[in-house]
DNA sequence: GCGTATATTAAGTTAATATTAAGCGAATTT
DNA sequence: AAATTCGCTTAATATTAACTTAATATACGC
């Protein structure tokens, strides 16, 4: 899942980035409205967190343009201004949720998860598929109760494959959803992660068909 | 857990601060209504203790604004005026509890704990997890009956990790919940405390996996 | 079998965390 | 009030783990 954070207070921004990366999202950032819109023209985000009080381009205007560019992206508006009017206007213009500053980071986290949930097969914080058990809180994946120790990137990839296990995921999509802007599209890094993942999964499950390769198409989680 | 104390009698204020810091809360203070609201705009508190009889901005007005800013914060109103009317009004406006002056500090302490309790797994004053025993009253942590001598900050951190042991806690969250306003967000101080904590825990338990590191994500208490 | 897509390794780079020692200031003691 | 202690923070360095790169090997469809 890929998220764009638009926020001009850089300190706040950094905190969000870190927190959300830990949840396995690929994060891009913009600190003003113009570059936010630019990024949305280039990339396809699943969700945008948009601070309404922005330099250069008014937040409401950014909201309109982003929504025009991408009808399905989820947008969470953040604002220090608690006037109800603005709140309504924001939702009318196509925002999906609204948060008033200051808010607890856990609150943001919960709402993001809630909004992205619809795209997933399963919604809760813990999903069980056959002998696999994924705890989204603990970043923990177990097989028959046995823990599979994964790095952050491995966890991100596997979670994405699992949450979209009804489809075959192309390398391009995996790259797009699990890496951010700076990722080199020609890099082989992803394959190395897949390899490491398979190794760890094989060790834990004695199976080596859990991540299937569909040549020329992509990868697929096979529970 | 982070608390804002709003009280214009500075002597009383200092006493509260000291007492509550002892309990491991991160404490900010304000001595008038205007600055209380300002602080709530900047920071996310878990709880606010609000004296209703305030200079500059009427306490009830402060209450309204604080509640508007943050729906989930717990608010305890303190007042010398025990008129039932005001009491009702306060609770109607979104306060969670009410104390009439003069009151015993232990009373305040108990109510704060009661209100913050819901965020925790376990509510009682003493929690036992495996061989660990945490007495929130005595600020004492023991392992197999053996006392682990901790400084205040160490106790605060460990208690937070223990009370949220079902999640991985990022450094950002730890900083947010265990330090107050003056904390430098780029400080490495927390890591030093973690180090000291681990050392003491290792000494007492002979185990060194009690505070686990999940690289790129955070820390976790592993009982 | 040929060519392309993917897998496998090992080595290199970067980022995150751990460790250590020194400094500072508040509180306590003498 | 000087000296001492203690807890907390700072800063510099070390260590570790994660991630990427790059080079080579294998597999698979045509």
């Amino acid at each position: 899942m890929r998220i764009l954070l638009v926020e001009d207070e850089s300190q706040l921004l950094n905190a969000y980035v870190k927190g959300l990366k830990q949840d396995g999202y690929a994060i891009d950032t913009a600190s003003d409205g113009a570059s936010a819109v630019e990024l949305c023209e280039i990339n396809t985000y699943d969700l945008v967190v948009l601070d309404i009080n922005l330099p250069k381009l008014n937040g409401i205007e950014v909201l309109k343009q982003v929504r025009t560019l991408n009808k399905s992206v989820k947008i969470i508006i953040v604002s220090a201004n608690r006037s109800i009017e603005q709140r309504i206007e924001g939702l009318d213009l196509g925002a999906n949720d609204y948060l008033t500053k200051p808010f607890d980071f856990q609150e943001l986290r919960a709402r993001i998860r809630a909004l992205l949930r619809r795209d997933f097969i399963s919604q809760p914080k813990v999903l069980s598929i056959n002998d696999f058990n994924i705890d989204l809180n603990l970043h923990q994946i177990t097989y028959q109760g046995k823990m599979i120790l994964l790095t952050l990137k491995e966890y991100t990839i596997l979670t994405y494959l699992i949450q979209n296990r009804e489809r075959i995921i192309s390398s391009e999509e995996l790259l797009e959803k699990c890496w951010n802007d700076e990722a080199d599209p020609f890099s082989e890094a992803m394959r190395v992660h897949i390899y490491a993942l398979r190794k760890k999964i094989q060790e834990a499950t004695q199976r080596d068909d859990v991540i299937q390769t569909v040549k020329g198409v992509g990868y697929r989680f096979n529970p």
Side-chain angles (χ1 to χ4, degrees), chain A:
Chain A
M1 290 289 130
R2 191 147 166 201
I3 296 179
L4 174 64
L5 293 181
V6 190
E7 165 67 60
D8 62 321
E9 289 175 46
S10 70
Q11 207 170 320
L12 216 55
L13 190 64
N14 287 335
Y16 295 168
V17 170
K18 235 178 161 176
L20 292 173
K21 272 194 179 166
Q22 285 160 6
D23 277 349
Y25 302 114
I27 307 287
D28 289 335
T29 61
S31 56
D32 65 82
S35 46
V37 171
E38 253 177 65
L39 278 170
C40 283
E41 281 166 348
I42 303 168
N43 305 306
T44 309
Y45 296 101
D46 298 289
L47 188 144
V48 176
V49 179
L50 177 62
D51 191 325
I52 279 292
N53 310 113
L54 284 174
K56 286 199 188 168
L57 192 56
N58 173 280
I60 294 285
E61 189 52 39
V62 176
L63 169 58
K64 279 192 209 168
Q65 297 194 20
V66 169
R67 174 57 75 215
T68 313
L69 283 164
N70 183 340
K71 301 270 180 273
S72 64
V73 63
K74 304 286 187 294
I75 302 174
I76 297 180
I77 285 186
V78 171
S79 163
N81 184 334
R82 51 214 112 99
S83 89
I84 305 289
E85 283 74 23
Q86 200 174 29
R87 174 167 195 149
I88 302 284
E89 186 180 7
L91 294 174
D92 274 354
L93 290 171
N96 302 89
D97 202 348
Y98 195 102
L99 269 175
T100 308
K101 278 188 192 174
F103 52 81
D104 194 86
F105 176 71
Q106 298 303 325
E107 180 73 22
L108 176 63
R109 213 177 150 219
R111 302 221 186 175
I112 287 176
R113 193 149 56 200
L115 279 176
L116 293 179
R117 176 177 299 176
R118 294 171 213 166
D119 295 346
F120 297 161
I121 289 177
S122 194
Q123 68 292 62
K125 291 175 190 172
V126 178
L127 8 162
S128 298
I129 294 112
N130 290 7
D131 289 337
F132 287 92
N133 203 288
I134 299 95
D135 186 322
L136 296 175
N137 258 328
L138 287 176
H139 303 254
Q140 213 172 249
I141 300 189
T142 57
Y143 179 80
Q144 294 177 345
K146 225 178 332 175
M147 173 137 168
I148 308 177
L149 214 59
L150 301 178
T151 71
L152 187 54
K153 198 117 260 173
E154 286 159 11
Y155 169 84
T156 306
I157 292 172
L158 185 54
T159 304
Y160 189 78
L161 290 177
I162 289 176
Q163 287 177 321
N164 295 280
R165 63 189 174 284
E166 85 286 9
R167 296 189 295 118
I168 298 172
I169 308 301
S170 70
S171 342
E172 289 74 30
E173 179 174 350
L174 216 49
L175 208 62
E176 185 175 316
K177 296 300 190 183
C178 298
W179 270 260
N180 65 8
D181 249 4
E182 293 125 42
D184 173 7
F186 303 107
S187 163
E188 295 289 288
M190 194 199 52
R191 301 193 190 288
V192 179
H193 285 293
I194 293 278
Y195 176 67
L197 249 176
R198 279 180 169 148
K199 217 165 161 182
K200 288 183 179 176
I201 292 173
Q202 148 70 24
E203 224 160 79
T205 68
Q206 309 302 322
R207 290 176 45 196
D208 42 43
D209 59 341
V210 174
I211 296 179
Q212 292 182 328
T213 300
V214 183
K215 201 157 174 172
V217 185
Y219 297 99
R220 177 173 163 258
F221 177 75
N222 169 32

